[in-house]
Amino acid sequence: MMDAMFPAAASEHAGEIDNMIDAVHYLMLVLFIVWGAFFLYTLMRFRAARNPKADYVGVKSKASTVGEVLVAIAEGVLLLGFSIPMWAERVDEIPSEADSTVVRVVAQQFAWNVWYPGADGVFGEADPYLTDEATNPIGLDRDGAGADDIWTVNQLHLPVDKAAIIHLTSKDVIHSFNLPNMRIKQDAIPGLSIPVWFVPTKTTVQIREETGNPDYVYEIACAQLCGNSHYSMRGFLTVHTEEEFQAWLDEEASYLGDSGTDDFFN
Amino acid sequence: MAEPVQASPAHEEHHHEQSFWRKFIFSTDHKVIGVQYSVTGLAFLFFGFCLMMIMRWQLAYPGEPIPLIGSLLGENRAPGGIMLPDFYNELGAMHGTIMVFLGVVPLAVGGFGNFVMPLQLGAPDMAFPRINMISYWCLFLGGVTMFASFFLPNGAAGNGWTSYSPLADIALNGQTAWLIGMIFLITSSLLGAVNFITTAVQLRAPGLTWMRLPFFCWAQIVTAFLLLLAFPPLEAAGVLQLMDRVAATSFFLPDGLVVGGEVLEVSGGGSPLLWQHLFWFLAHPEVYVLILPAMGIVAEVIANNSRKPLWGYRSMVYSLIFLGFMSFIVWAHHMFITGMGSVMSTFFQTTTMIISIPSVIILSALFISLWGGSIRYNTPMLFALGFLPMFGIGGLTGLPLGLSAADIPLHDTYYVIGHFHYVVAPGTLFALFAGVYYWFPKVTGRKMNEFLGKLHFWPSLVFMNGVFFPMMIQGLNGVSRRLADGGITYDFAGEVAGLNRMMSVSAWCLAVAQIPFIINFFMSIRNGEKAGRNPWNSTTLEWLAPSPAPHGNFDQAIEVTRGPYEYSVPGSDKDYAPQAEPAST
C-alpha cells in the first residue's frame, strides 16, 4: 500500500520491514474507519434535534470489549510475529566477519569517515591525538596494522549480495547513520562502537536502471541533530559487483604512499 | 474577577480587603493563580507558534529572505533576512521547549488544574496556597529565562528540545540558560504536583468519594503523580549537564572526543546515553502530562453536552491509573536505534504495546459515551469532538514507531513529528480550547461568543490537518527531522519537499484562524452574554459556585450525594442532577 512512498528498497531485509509497516498501516486504517464510521453515525443519529431526550444507560453491548481484545491480539501478533524476531535478526544474528565486508564509519561534524582495514583485513589503531582534520580525520596510526588501511570521506563502497558489517562510532557528538534505501538507521555515539549490518541486493547500476534515473544515488543521511550543518551531512553509498569492489579497493590502496599518509583525498 | 471579595463560611480570614498586589499579582487564590497560569500558557503557546511560523518560511522557501520581519531578526540570526542554520536550530529547540513546558503544561495543569480542580472538589482553595503562588512564580522565572535567552550573544539553545549530550554539553549557544530555565520550570511543576495531590486527598467535600470524582480530577491527580515522580531525574540530569558546561565535569562526555580537529580537554569517562535515559524517563511520562488533562477536559465536556453519564466511568479511571503507571516503563522506545539489544527492545516495545490498551479503552469509552446522547453542538463540544479523531490519528501513528523493527526507517523522521503533533496539537490543544470555552463563564461570569467560536473551530480543524498530515507522507519517504533546509540537500527527501509549502501555508492560515479566538476572548470578558452559576446545566461542583467565584469559592455548604455525571436520570423531569443540591434561592 505504502510502497510508492518509501525510498527504493535495496537490501535483503528491506522487504520485510516494508511489509510490516504496510501491515501496521492496514490495521490503523481499519481501526480509524471503524471508529470514524461509528463516530459520524453517532453524531448525526444522536444530535439534540433528532434525539431530544438522552438515554441514561447508553450502550449495553460488550462489543467494545471485543474490539479492545482484537486490538490487543493484533498488537501481539505484530510484536511476537514480526517486530521482535526482525529486531533479533538485526542485532543478534550478525554474520561472521569472515564472510562479510567489514567497515568502520566514524562520524563527525559534518561528515562520514569511512575506514577499511586494507589488504591485511585488520584495522589499525586510532589515537585522538593523531587527528588532523585535513590529513588524518580518524586519527589513524600508520604504524602496525594501520599501514594499509584505507579511509574516505562521505564515500562508502560495498559489494552487492554480501553482508556488510559497519562498526559505527563518532568523534564528537551523536549522529545517526541513515541509509534510507537499505532500511538502516543507527545512531553513531561517541565512546561506543555499534555494529550494524545489512546485505545490499542491488548495485548502483541496477538501481539506476530500475528507477530509470541515471543519476540515482544511494544517500547516507544524518538523522540526529548534530549541529548547524546537520542538514547537509550527506554521504554516498556505491554498491558494486564483487569484481568492481575489489578493483576499487585496489585502486584506493595504490594511492597509499610509502610514508603511509594518503593525502590524496584532500 | 473584579468583584469584591465575598464572605465565605469556610475562610473567615479572607474577609479583609486585599491590596491590588496581593489580590492579582502575588495572589494565593487558586483561581487567580489558575488564570495567571492560563494567560501565561496561552501567551507562550502563541509565542511558540510564532517561532514555528518563522521556521516554516525557511522550510517552504529555503534560503530566501524572510518577508516582513526578516530584517528585524539581526545579522547574527538572519543576515539579509536569510535564516542561518544555527538560528533555525534555535527556533526548533525553543519551539519544542516552549510549547511543552511553557505552553501546554502551564495551561493544562497549572491553569485548568488550579482553577477547576479545587472547585470540582468543593474545596475553598488548594491545600498549600502559598506554595501554589511560589509554583507560578517559578514558572514565570523559567519563562523569562527562556525568553531572554534569545538575546544572548550566541542566541538561545539550539540542540533540540531533547538537548542530547555531547552536543548540548559543548554547544556555544544558550544551552546554559536553557538548563537554568528548565530548573525553574521543573521546580514549579514539583511544587504544583505536591499541592494537587494533597488537595485531592485532603480537601474533597463531604460525600465526594473517589468514585464520585469527576474524571478531570482523576486526570489531574494521575498527572500530578507523573510530574512528581518523573521530573526529579530530569532536574538531576539538568544539573549534571549544567556542571558539564560550567564546571568542566564529564558526566555525559566520553573519552577521546575530537571536536573541530582538536581533542576536547575534558576528563571524559561519561556516558552520552545516560542523558538520554534520564531525559526520556521524564519526557515519556511528560507526554501523558500533556494528554491526560486533555482527556479529562474532553470527558467533562462530552458528558455535559451529550446529556448522559460517561460510559464506563470506572474502567476509564482504572485505565487512567494503569496508563500513569505504565508511562514510567516505556521511555526507551525513544531510543531503539541507540544500539539496543534484543532484551531491552523486547521489553520496551512490549510495554509500549501494553500502554496502548488503556488509551484505546479511554478513547473507546468517550466515543461510546456519545451513543444514546442528546448531543448539543456548542463550541466546547466541537473542540472536544474534534479531539477524538485527531488524538486517534496521533495514537494510531504511534504504533509503527513503538514496534522497533518498523521504527528503523521511521525513527527521527517527519513521521515522528506528525505523530506527536497529532497527539498534542489537534489533540491536546483542541481539548484545551474546549476547556477555555467551557470554563470561561466560571472565570469571567460571561460566555464566549458561539459564532466566533465556530469560526475558530472549523478552519483550525482543516488547517491543523493541512500542517500535520503531509508530515506523515514526508516521514514515510524518510525525510529526517531538524533539517534546516527542509531536506532539499537529499535527493530522496527532495521528492516530497514540495509538501513543505502546503504545510507552511496551512500553518499561516492556522494563525489567521486563531484571530476569532483572540477577539472572542477579549471581547467576551466585558461584552459576553452573562452566565449564571450553571450556564451549561452541568452536574459537577464548580457550577454551584457563583460566576465568577469569590475568594473561598462557595457561598453554601456542600454535601455531595451523587456521582459526577448524573444526566438524564430516568424519572426526573430535569435532564441533570447536580452532585450537590444548590441552596434554594
Side-chain angles (χ1 to χ4, degrees):
Chain A
M1 170 173 69
M2 345 261 320
D3 294 30
M5 284 186 238
F6 301 141
S11 72
E12 208 174 73
H13 71 281
E16 59 186 30
I17 288 195
D18 291 359
N19 288 341
M20 183 179 166
I21 294 179
D22 259 3
V24 180
H25 280 84
Y26 277 118
L27 173 66
M28 289 154 62
L29 199 64
V30 168
L31 290 174
F32 190 76
I33 288 172
V34 171
W35 269 340
F38 174 85
F39 184 54
L40 290 178
Y41 176 76
T42 310
L43 293 186
M44 286 185 278
R45 168 70 184 77
F46 294 103
R47 62 184 196 272
R50 183 158 170 210
N51 197 41
K53 180 92 179 92
D55 174 10
Y56 180 74
V57 179
V59 172
K60 292 188 194 69
S61 97
K62 296 280 176 207
S64 71
T65 312
V66 176
E68 283 147 14
V69 170
L70 287 176
V71 171
I73 291 171
E75 290 182 353
V77 169
L78 287 169
L79 195 59
L80 300 171
F82 294 87
S83 191
I84 292 174
M86 279 160 66
W87 190 262
E89 184 189 321
R90 302 265 37 93
V91 300
D92 294 339
E93 292 166 29
I94 300 178
S96 86
E97 298 213 338
D99 304 327
S100 313
T101 315
V102 183
V103 187
R104 287 184 182 173
V105 169
V106 182
Q108 70 170 79
Q109 290 173 327
F110 298 93
W112 306 96
N113 299 295
V114 182
W115 179 4
Y116 292 86
D120 63 356
V122 179
F123 286 102
E125 300 287 319
D127 179 348
Y129 286 96
L130 294 175
T131 305
D132 181 301
E133 284 304 304
T135 60
N136 190 2
I138 54 178
L140 177 65
D141 185 350
R142 284 294 182 190
D143 292 331
D148 61 352
D149 287 12
I150 294 165
W151 58 265
T152 69
V153 178
N154 289 333
Q155 297 291 342
L156 173 62
H157 290 253
L158 293 172
V160 71
D161 291 332
K162 185 177 175 185
I165 302 174
I166 296 169
H167 295 280
L168 268 177
T169 190
S170 166
K171 285 160 70 176
D172 39 39
V173 302
I174 297 175
H175 304 269
S176 193
F177 181 73
N178 178 15
L179 286 169
N181 301 98
M182 303 297 158
R183 309 294 187 262
I184 284 293
K185 193 178 287 152
Q186 170 61 53
D187 284 356
I189 301 174
L192 297 175
S193 173
I194 302 168
V196 57
W197 75 279
F198 60 97
V199 182
T201 53
K202 288 171 193 161
T203 63
T204 300
V205 173
Q206 284 172 321
I207 198 79
R208 284 178 177 170
E209 285 167 6
E210 195 175 289
T211 57
N213 175 0
D215 301 320
Y216 198 93
V217 284
Y218 294 130
E219 293 173 295
I220 306 171
C222 184
Q224 185 65 268
L225 180 63
C226 57
N228 59 15
S229 299
H230 163 60
Y231 71 98
S232 63
M233 194 165 152
R234 182 190 190 204
F236 302 91
L237 164 64
T238 310
V239 179
H240 303 276
T241 61
E242 181 70 37
E243 301 77 45
E244 285 167 359
F245 177 67
Q246 278 307 328
W248 178 80
L249 273 183
D250 293 343
E251 189 191 348
E252 293 299 306
S254 72
Y255 296 129
L256 291 173
D258 290 338
S259 66
T261 59
D262 52 352
D263 50 4
F264 172 85
F265 292 100
N266 305 290
Chain B
M1 304 284 276
E3 288 207 353
V5 175
Q6 292 180 16
S8 139
H11 266 215
E12 294 298 329
E13 70 266 43
H14 291 314
H15 272 289
H16 62 87
E17 198 64 33
Q18 289 173 312
S19 71
F20 172 82
W21 283 89
R22 283 307 304 273
K23 207 161 140 190
F24 295 111
I25 309 297
F26 296 104
S27 171
T28 54
D29 182 337
H30 74 99
K31 297 184 296 301
V32 176
I33 295 172
V35 171
Q36 289 175 325
Y37 263 115
S38 299
V39 170
T40 309
L42 284 168
F44 271 110
L45 283 174
F46 181 72
F47 179 61
F49 186 30
C50 289
L51 300 184
M52 175 44 63
M53 284 192 283
I54 304 173
M55 292 173 81
R56 288 251 45 122
W57 173 267
Q58 168 72 3
L59 291 171
Y61 305 98
E64 291 181 34
I66 304 164
L68 304 175
I69 57 163
S71 55
L72 306 174
L73 293 170
E75 287 298 298
N76 54 347
R77 301 186 188 97
I82 298 168
M83 184 182 295
L84 292 174
D86 272 321
F87 185 50
Y88 178 87
N89 289 346
E90 282 173 40
L91 292 173
M94 296 308 285
H95 166 77
T97 303
I98 284 171
M99 287 308 212
V100 171
F101 297 108
L102 281 161
V104 175
V105 172
L107 183 55
V109 181
F112 287 115
N114 253 312
F115 189 93
V116 176
M117 194 176 81
L119 284 166
Q120 285 195 334
L121 295 174
D125 205 316
M126 294 288 269
F128 307 119
R130 285 189 186 83
I131 287 183
N132 207 12
M133 178 185 82
I134 295 167
S135 164
Y136 172 75
W137 286 102
C138 282
L139 173 98
F140 186 82
L141 287 176
V144 168
T145 310
M146 291 292 184
F147 182 76
S149 70
F150 278 100
F151 301 98
L152 292 170
N154 289 316
N159 313 300
W161 80 286
T162 50
S163 288
Y164 279 6
S165 292
L167 182 63
D169 275 32
I170 62 175
L172 299 173
N173 51 37
Q175 183 66 18
T176 304
W178 186 89
L179 288 163
I180 293 169
M182 282 305 294
I183 288 168
F184 281 123
L185 298 180
I186 294 169
T187 307
S188 161
S189 279
L190 291 178
L191 293 172
V194 172
N195 213 349
F196 276 55
I197 293 168
T198 314
T199 305
V201 172
Q202 295 288 348
L203 296 184
R204 281 168 295 132
L208 188 59
T209 58
W210 289 109
M211 282 297 145
R212 285 177 176 172
L213 221 50
F215 189 71
F216 176 81
C217 290
W218 272 113
Q220 291 290 342
I221 293 165
V222 174
T223 302
F225 273 103
L226 299 185
L227 288 169
L228 184 68
L229 300 176
F231 251 144
L234 185 66
E235 187 143 36
V239 173
L240 298 184
Q241 196 177 73
L242 188 64
M243 291 302 107
D244 277 7
R245 287 183 62 83
V246 301
T249 58
S250 290
F251 291 104
F252 305 122
L253 297 173
D255 294 331
L257 291 181
V258 181
V259 179
E262 299 294 326
V263 175
L264 202 63
E265 296 297 339
V266 293
S267 56
S271 163
L273 280 185
L274 175 61
W275 167 266
Q276 294 190 23
H277 281 291
L278 293 172
F279 180 85
W280 288 115
F281 188 80
L282 157 86
H284 198 82
E286 179 75 15
V287 173
Y288 290 91
V289 169
L290 303 178
I291 197 68
L292 298 185
M295 286 176 169
I297 294 169
V298 168
E300 298 299 307
V301 173
I302 283 185
N304 176 252
N305 289 302
S306 64
R307 311 307 293 164
K308 63 184 284 298
L310 282 183
W311 188 88
Y313 166 83
R314 271 176 189 269
S315 62
M316 283 173 77
V317 170
Y318 296 139
S319 297
L320 190 68
I321 295 169
F322 183 61
L323 201 65
F325 172 76
M326 289 300 293
S327 75
F328 284 103
I329 49 172
V330 297
W331 79 89
H333 67 207
H334 297 271
M335 299 168 58
F336 282 142
I337 62 161
T338 55
M340 198 178 280
S342 277
V343 176
M344 280 267 279
S345 88
T346 299
F347 177 81
F348 281 106
Q349 55 187 317
T350 306
T351 53
T352 302
M353 291 302 113
I354 292 172
I355 203 173
S356 70
I357 302 298
S359 309
V360 169
I361 293 176
I362 293 176
L363 201 60
S364 302
L366 289 171
F367 275 122
I368 295 170
S369 293
L370 297 166
W371 186 273
S374 176
I375 301 169
R376 305 188 300 207
Y377 290 102
N378 49 33
T379 307
M381 186 61 165
L382 288 177
F383 275 102
L385 293 173
F387 167 91
L388 296 176
M390 295 297 106
F391 176 73
I393 295 177
L396 289 171
T397 48
L399 273 177
L401 300 169
L403 294 159
S404 61
D407 183 51
I408 295 171
L410 299 177
H411 194 98
D412 271 331
T413 64
Y414 264 92
Y415 197 89
V416 180
I417 313 264
H419 153 66
F420 70 72
H421 277 91
Y422 262 102
V423 173
V424 180
T428 296
L429 286 183
F430 271 17
L432 296 177
F433 280 128
V436 170
Y437 285 100
Y438 185 63
W439 281 301
F440 192 86
K442 188 51 61 184
V443 180
T444 62
R446 291 171 188 273
K447 282 171 112 167
M448 289 177 80
N449 181 283
E450 277 292 317
F451 174 75
L452 288 173
K454 281 162 188 164
L455 201 59
H456 176 208
F457 172 74
W458 289 107
S460 292
L461 181 69
V462 171
F463 294 125
M464 282 275 191
N465 284 286
V467 178
F468 300 118
F469 198 81
M471 290 187 179
M472 306 295 183
I473 297 166
Q474 289 193 327
L476 289 166
N477 275 276
V479 182
S480 296
R481 62 193 294 196
R482 294 169 172 167
L483 299 174
D485 64 352
I488 54 169
T489 298
Y490 298 101
D491 289 346
F492 72 88
E495 290 172 20
V496 284
L499 289 173
N500 279 325
R501 294 202 177 172
M502 173 192 168
M503 288 146 76
S504 295
V505 170
S506 294
W508 301 324
C509 291
L510 183 60
V512 174
Q514 306 314 301
I515 293 172
F517 172 72
I518 296 169
I519 294 172
N520 198 354
F521 189 87
F522 288 105
M523 201 186 73
S524 302
I525 291 174
R526 290 196 174 279
N527 303 320
E529 179 196 337
K530 275 208 178 231
R533 289 177 188 236
N534 192 359
W536 310 111
N537 289 345
S538 183
T539 52
T540 44
L541 294 180
E542 75 268 35
W543 305 106
L544 278 181
S547 305
H551 203 164
N553 292 347
F554 295 96
D555 51 5
Q556 64 180 83
I558 292 170
E559 175 73 38
V560 175
T561 54
R562 297 187 186 88
Y565 307 113
E566 292 298 295
Y567 289 101
S568 303
V569 182
S572 165
D573 51 350
K574 213 168 57 166
D575 76 344
Y576 66 106
Q579 283 197 280
E581 290 304 330
S584 50
T585 44

